[in-house]
Amino acid sequence: MTMPYDQQEDTPDDALLVLYANGDGAAARTLTLRLTPRAFAHAFRMLGDRAEAEDVAQEAMIRLFKLAPDWRQGEAKVTTWLYRVTANLCTDRLRKTKGVALDAIPEPEDGAKSAAQEMQDRARVDALQNALATLPDRQRQAVVLRHIDGQSNPEIAEIMEISVEAVESLTARGKRALAQALASQREALGYTDG
């Protein structure tokens, strides 16, 4: 039995996954629309490459749908599983390309911003992405999950399969390393004290 799309908007992810496993195509569409942007955003921050991030997000969603028939409701959040798989796929890609510089990240165009503001925003994004690329993989993953994706430390611990204390340590060391890497660029990036 297929549940109408407008009724699925409030349905929890794990229930939608079970509906999909039972043949509900609308549940798959709802999950795809709901979860793919999250997987893509996380992969983009980890990889710094839009095409690579799209590939990772697609692969993560394919793996989720393949897992659907065996999904055990209540054991883990679907989003936690998805972040973990996305992060692992990103780590695999980063290991394959170790030593290769990450491409610049283009900011989406916003007609309300001046050209100077767009250039400064681009420089800030590039500087952050370059600084993130200097971090060890686990530190980068923890910092991105915490400070860019907004996950809580317990959620990150579950995603990364480490303790909350290890998450706190990784994010603290990562933030210090980012601050140090970006310190000499504060003025050039338009950050002034005062």
Side-chain angles (χ1 to χ4, degrees), residues 37-54 56-57 86 90 102-108 125 129 132 144 148-149:
R38 291 181 186 189
F40 170 77
H42 184 62
F44 184 60
R45 284 293 178 196
M46 292 287 296
L47 299 170
D49 181 282
R50 187 169 299 281
E52 290 284 319
E54 288 172 356
V56 165
T86 300
C90 289
L102 295 176
D103 294 330
I105 304 168
E107 274 294 304
V125 169
Q129 194 63 43
L132 281 169
V144 167
I148 296 174
D149 292 342

Side-chain angles (χ1 to χ4, degrees), residues 15-145:
L16 286 171
L17 199 56
V18 170
L19 286 169
Y20 164 73
N22 291 323
D24 188 339
R29 283 189 296 282
T30 301
L31 276 173
T32 300
L33 292 171
R34 185 183 295 174
L35 300 178
T36 302
R38 291 181 186 189
F40 170 77
H42 184 62
F44 184 60
R45 284 293 178 196
M46 292 287 296
L47 299 170
D49 181 282
R50 187 169 299 281
E52 290 284 319
E54 288 172 356
D55 289 347
V56 165
Q58 182 178 8
E59 178 63 25
M61 291 302 295
I62 288 169
R63 289 184 183 194
L64 177 65
F65 289 128
K66 284 182 180 177
L67 172 79
D70 300 319
W71 185 261
R72 289 181 253 156
Q73 280 184 289
E75 285 191 18
K77 288 174 57 177
V78 173
T79 52
T80 300
W81 182 93
L82 185 65
Y83 274 117
R84 181 180 304 141
V85 169
T86 300
N88 290 341
L89 290 168
C90 289
T91 299
D92 291 346
R93 285 179 186 245
L94 288 169
R95 286 185 181 142
K96 288 179 187 174
T97 60
K98 212 57 154 173
V100 176
L102 295 176
D103 294 330
I105 304 168
E107 274 294 304
E109 291 186 28
D110 181 353
K113 294 182 180 180
S114 69
Q117 184 61 50
E118 286 183 21
M119 288 172 55
Q120 186 171 59
D121 289 351
R122 172 72 182 265
R124 288 175 177 176
V125 169
D126 289 346
L128 176 60
Q129 194 63 43
N130 289 334
L132 281 169
T134 66
L135 297 179
D137 292 344
R138 302 289 279 175
Q139 278 184 21
R140 180 184 320 120
Q141 182 180 2
V143 168
V144 167
L145 284 167

Side-chain angles (χ1 to χ4, degrees), residues 169-190:
S169 176
L170 284 170
T171 55
R173 289 194 322 261
K175 279 178 54 179
R176 281 194 303 272
L178 283 176
Q180 186 176 14
L182 295 170
S184 65
Q185 302 176 53
R186 284 184 59 80
E187 190 174 325
L189 295 173

